[in-house]
Amino acid sequence: MKRTTTFLAASCLLASLLAPMTANAQMRPRGGYTPPAPRHGTRTSHSRSYGYAPNTYYGFRFGLSASHINSDAPDLNGSTSKTGLNVGAVVGIQLAPQAPMFFETGLEYVEKGGKGKFSGDKFSIGLNYLEVPLTLKYSAQIAPATAVEPFVGGYLACGVGGKVKDYGAREAFSSFDDRYGANFKRFDGGVRVGCGLAWEMLYAEAGYDFGLTNIGDNAFDDTHNGAFFLNIGVNF
């Protein structure tokens, strides 16, 4: 029930962010994010000088992730992959008129975690986050309506839900709530790398998140997230 409530709240927040984006959206006639008409050095009625109007796009993403947890602590080492959901909205801004280089950020709801065994008993860890991606993306047009878009950067995340399930003891408790003996910190951050493919308004991407933050409460045992993700969506 808590997971459903968290997902619905995140979906409503993302929808509220996406609504003003789609209201001003324009369909791009080509792959990549170059504007359909020249916007560099265009005169306006309010100025006698030539100016640069940055190219901006908005997008919606939906997909799946296969995540795991690498930890020095055997009871937290969920090295077996766990499948989760990704959903989010993004915005990209061109950094310079001379090159198709973009800075992309946004807000995403992601489900991470892992599975493993401790003392012969299975356990699973669910870590659900609201994440802010911070990436640089290069849009290389390979056909009139298609562009390949490698990206690199990072992400910042705050835990909003999830459960730790101990199948041996038949117990389950919140991943981030200290009242239930949680072993995970809410904050996470790391490096994100991947590549996207844009065709007209359609978009697909694959990438990997390398967690750099020690998300475990024990300072002597390093515990990090790792996740492969595959998303599809649209760009406006």
Side-chain angles (χ1 to χ4, degrees):
M1 182 64 182
K2 290 183 179 180
R3 175 178 175 180
T4 302
T5 302
T6 300
F7 175 71
L8 290 175
S11 299
C12 291
L13 179 59
L14 292 171
S16 66
L17 291 174
L18 192 60
M21 299 178 184
T22 56
N24 298 318
Q26 296 180 359
M27 180 176 177
R28 307 289 185 196
R30 298 164 31 173
Y33 302 114
T34 52
R39 297 170 62 179
H40 315 318
T42 301
R43 288 188 182 274
T44 65
S45 59
H46 305 288
S47 175
R48 295 184 179 181
S49 62
Y50 287 84
Y52 166 62
N55 188 16
T56 302
Y57 65 88
Y58 304 96
F60 180 76
R61 305 285 185 264
F62 179 84
L64 297 174
S65 64
S67 60
H68 58 274
I69 300 173
N70 293 320
S71 178
D72 297 333
D75 58 332
L76 301 182
N77 188 38
S79 56
T80 301
S81 294
K82 184 178 187 296
T83 303
L85 177 71
N86 307 320
V87 60
V90 299
V91 57
I93 302 173
Q94 189 171 4
L95 297 179
Q98 297 84 6
M101 181 71 72
F102 295 81
F103 172 71
E104 183 176 289
T105 186
L107 183 63
E108 302 172 337
Y109 170 79
V110 301
E111 296 178 345
K112 295 183 178 180
K115 299 178 182 179
K117 283 187 177 182
F118 179 67
S119 298
D121 295 325
K122 294 181 180 180
F123 66 86
S124 68
I125 301 170
L127 303 173
N128 304 334
Y129 295 97
L130 286 180
E131 285 190 358
V132 176
L134 304 165
T135 60
L136 292 176
K137 176 180 289 187
Y138 182 82
S139 181
Q141 190 166 341
I142 60 174
T146 307
V148 174
E149 301 178 348
F151 57 86
V152 63
Y155 70 91
L156 298 174
C158 179
V160 295
K163 287 183 179 291
V164 176
K165 296 181 180 180
D166 184 342
Y167 292 94
R170 304 296 295 175
E171 293 179 349
F173 53 89
S174 173
S175 301
F176 300 109
D177 196 334
D178 291 336
R179 294 176 299 174
Y180 300 100
N183 295 305
F184 297 96
K185 299 175 183 177
R186 288 187 182 272
F187 176 77
D188 186 27
V191 174
R192 173 170 294 185
V193 296
C195 188
L197 180 66
W199 180 75
E200 294 288 353
M201 294 179 66
L202 302 181
Y203 180 79
E205 66 180 3
Y208 191 86
D209 286 345
F210 298 88
L212 300 181
T213 303
N214 183 4
I215 60 174
D217 278 337
N218 191 333
F220 293 96
D221 295 322
D222 285 338
T223 304
H224 301 278
N225 274 317
F228 171 81
F229 60 87
L230 181 63
N231 296 326
I232 59 174
V234 294
N235 289 326
F236 303 95

